[in-house]
Amino acid sequence: MPELILSHVTRRFSGHTAVDDFSLTVRDGEFVCLLGPSGCGKTTTLRIIAGFERADAGRLTLDGADITHAPPQQRDIGLVFQSYALFPHKTVAENIGFGLKMRGRPRAAIAAAVEEALALVRLEGLGGRYPRALSGGQQQRVALARALAIRPRLLLMDEPLSNLDAQLREEMRNEIRRIQKSLGITAVLVTHDQAEALAMADRIAVMAKGRLQQMADPATIYEAPATAFVSGFIGQANVLEGRVESTGAEAVLALPGGVTLAGRGDGLAAGAATRAMVKHERMALCRAEPAQLANRFPCQVAERTYLGGSIAYRCEAAGMTLTALLPNHPLFESFAPGDTAWIGWAATDCAFFPC
Amino acid sequence: MRFLGKAAGGLYLLLLYLFVAGPLLFVIATSFNPATSFPAPFEGLTLSWYAAILRRPEFLSAAGTSAVVAALAAALAVVVAFLAAYALSRNGSSSARGAMATLLASPLLVPQVVISLAILQLASAWGVGTGFWGLVAAHAVYVMPFALRLLLTGLARFDFAVEEASRSLGGGWLSTWREVTLPLLRPSIVAGFTFCFILSFVNLPLSLFLTSPDTATLPIVMFAYIESRIDPMIAAVASVIVLAAGTATILLDRFLHVRLVD
């Protein structure tokens, strides 16, 4: 079973620890996204898995075999580069067949595998072209076909969609997912784009400063972030700081202005400095008092930003500056700067994290 | 106004080309002049000076020696320059790269006669003769920085990710160099070799202290010839060199052109 296990992998560069005691299990046939801001160590982690970067400590196993010290050419890992890294002096067919040529397969077998790979990425008939004669999206498909033609035990992708324009990126997201599922191949994709990770992954591993923050399915990452970092990084959140007044199933946070908030959180201690985070779209903004919401305050709309699909309102309420994101739909009320209204959110949407 | 500006630009270009190519044209013209001294007024057209070269075996054998020395020196220089340029481009900060590249280019800052003399002295201090290989070494030392410059430029446009792609696909170091790195850098390597070959072939000062009658290079024989007399035969020899170098450059350009743009 091609299962990838990283245990306690650490990589130090002069001065800083790029990957810090990082453990991760990617199950057979699973699609995992490594998500994090630039410099969080996700690309270094991918390079360690591919064998281009050594681990200073820790162990990697693939398919039960220890690959910690195996050179890249012996790992049987297909790699898709951010720059695609196609061989410019070889045709599309030669690019795709390269890995099999390195394995000493007979010509006829290579030709058949190349045709199959071209069909898989829907580029039939383009085998004779050179990479520069292809569009960015087509080059991306060739890179994918080249990585898959060796029938790798694992497919690694390093920001594969970041060089494509928005529309093509969405198309390729679905395409990569379709191919990954049809082959049942285990895959790890590195990205800084949360929408990409949420849309594609079976599970997302969120990284920050070389450490694993949370590993869970997209809905859990989004709805139940484990750390303040994850909460702030995925989606956009209002952040309020105060001290815990009471703990329990529904905790209470006292803000400096005397306002109290109801919310939920683990590891809270009474009196401890704590941060409350609420996603912008989980805020309600309405003219009537939303009595069913535990946290509700009269507010004044300070700013309205038209975003097309939604409208963002920046509001002042009881000394807090809060942003509410409302769908651009006739069922939702519309406000103008200067309007008075009610802003509110449920305790279940209000996550407390110790600072 | 606009026309005047264009005309002035054209005139400037014409003068520039004349300044660069003028002496060469003069030498080529002289090689067809039957007058027996040089420079002299034109007296007609003849190919007799070219025929005269063929009657002087020392010129032909010196040309052979020069070609062999130039080929070996250029090959040696390109290998050393390639390894240095590859290592510099792959690793290290750009400031360290600049410092190392400058250091490696330092043979250019030493007068060539001094390199020649230094190799002679070193060889006699070690008690070995300089011989043929001393000559090759001196030429290789001098031309190496030119190859280095060309290869650094080529490597600056080289995406090292293609090497990683090759390795991830199962290519070892050797196959990766053979299949990916060297083919992609071939234009720089060929250009570097040709440039080094030409520089070595026409070089006089490096050879001054390092040649014996057996290993006399073409510039040395030409130098010895014009010490005793000056006639247009030397212009004919120079014209042949210019023709050969020019042909090589044009072929190279075509070759690279074909290679770079499909």
Side-chain angles (χ1 to χ4, degrees), chain A residues 242-248 251-254 267-275 352 354:
Chain A
R243 291 190 179 276
V244 176
E245 202 166 87
S246 70
T247 58
V252 176
L253 189 72
L268 302 175
T274 294
R275 193 175 289 163
F352 292 161

Side-chain angles (χ1 to χ4, degrees), chain A residues 65-334:
Chain A
D66 188 325
I67 58 161
T68 315
H69 303 291
Q73 62 268 32
Q74 284 165 21
R75 295 194 178 198
D76 265 334
I77 292 176
L79 191 48
V80 176
F81 293 81
Q82 183 171 11
S83 63
Y84 313 142
L86 296 175
F87 307 130
H89 59 304
K90 293 181 183 287
T91 63
V92 167
E94 286 167 346
N95 264 279
I96 296 174
F98 186 83
L100 298 172
K101 186 177 164 192
M102 290 295 110
R103 283 164 173 73
R105 298 287 158 76
R107 266 162 196 268
I110 295 177
V114 167
E115 283 309 310
E116 198 184 322
L118 280 171
L120 186 68
V121 298
R122 301 178 180 170
L123 286 180
E124 292 96 335
L126 295 186
R129 297 256 190 105
Y130 280 90
R132 65 183 157 273
L134 301 181
S135 69
Q138 288 172 325
Q139 291 185 19
Q140 168 71 77
R141 284 165 194 265
V142 175
L144 188 61
R146 183 178 68 177
L148 290 170
I150 59 169
R151 306 246 154 212
R153 294 188 286 180
L154 177 70
L155 178 65
L156 291 180
M157 292 168 276
D158 184 12
E159 305 264 6
L161 306 177
S162 58
N163 288 333
L164 301 176
D165 59 52
Q167 205 166 358
L168 201 53
R169 196 178 309 159
E170 223 153 284
E171 185 189 319
M172 279 309 291
R173 257 187 217 168
N174 299 331
E175 190 74 355
I176 289 176
R177 200 62 231 260
R178 172 186 70 80
I179 291 167
Q180 184 265 336
K181 271 187 182 152
S182 74
L183 297 175
I185 190 170
T186 312
V188 176
L189 182 143
V190 160
T191 183
H192 66 273
D193 180 346
Q194 47 173 298
E196 199 169 297
L198 291 168
M200 295 176 84
D202 291 320
R203 286 194 299 160
I204 297 174
V206 182
M207 281 185 85
K209 293 181 181 149
R211 289 184 155 272
L212 180 64
Q213 298 287 316
Q214 188 176 10
M215 170 92 175
D217 62 280
T220 306
I221 292 279
Y222 194 85
E223 320 251 341
T227 66
F229 175 83
V230 177
S231 180
F233 184 68
I234 312 284
Q236 288 179 298
N238 293 300
V239 182
L240 301 160
E241 286 184 23
R243 291 190 179 276
V244 176
E245 202 166 87
S246 70
T247 58
E250 192 154 295
V252 176
L253 189 72
L255 302 187
V259 174
T260 60
L261 302 178
R264 299 186 310 177
D266 296 324
L268 302 175
T274 294
R275 193 175 289 163
M277 301 181 100
V278 199
K279 294 259 163 28
H280 287 176
E281 73 279 8
R282 292 297 171 95
M283 307 288 288
L285 186 66
C286 40
R287 295 222 151 74
E289 184 177 353
Q292 74 282 12
L293 297 176
N295 303 300
R296 55 184 187 275
F297 306 93
C299 71
Q300 184 159 35
V301 175
E303 193 181 309
R304 175 182 192 267
T305 308
Y306 183 81
L307 297 171
S310 53
I311 298 168
Y313 296 99
R314 194 162 58 76
C315 306
E316 303 290 344
M320 301 175 286
T321 300
L322 301 164
T323 303
L325 193 66
L326 266 51
N328 184 7
H329 187 278
L331 283 179
F332 288 82
E333 292 169 280
S334 187

Side-chain angles (χ1 to χ4, degrees), chain B residues 12-55:
Chain B
Y12 168 75
L13 262 184
L14 184 72
L15 286 174
L16 189 69
Y17 278 126
L18 268 180
F19 182 72
V20 172
L24 239 116
L25 294 175
F26 176 74
V27 166
I28 293 170
T30 302
S31 73
F32 296 108
N33 189 356
T36 51
S37 73
F38 155 13
F42 273 90
E43 295 171 7
L45 275 179
T46 176
L47 287 174
S48 63
W49 297 117
Y50 288 90
I53 304 174
L54 298 175
R55 288 192 299 271

Side-chain angles (χ1 to χ4, degrees), chain A residues 89, chain B residues 82 158 163 174 176-187 189:
Chain A
H89 59 304
Chain B
F82 177 79
F158 180 72
E163 288 192 331
L174 262 177
T176 297
W177 271 36
R178 194 185 60 232
E179 290 280 338
V180 177
T181 313
L182 293 177
L184 284 175
L185 292 172
R186 184 158 47 208
I189 293 170

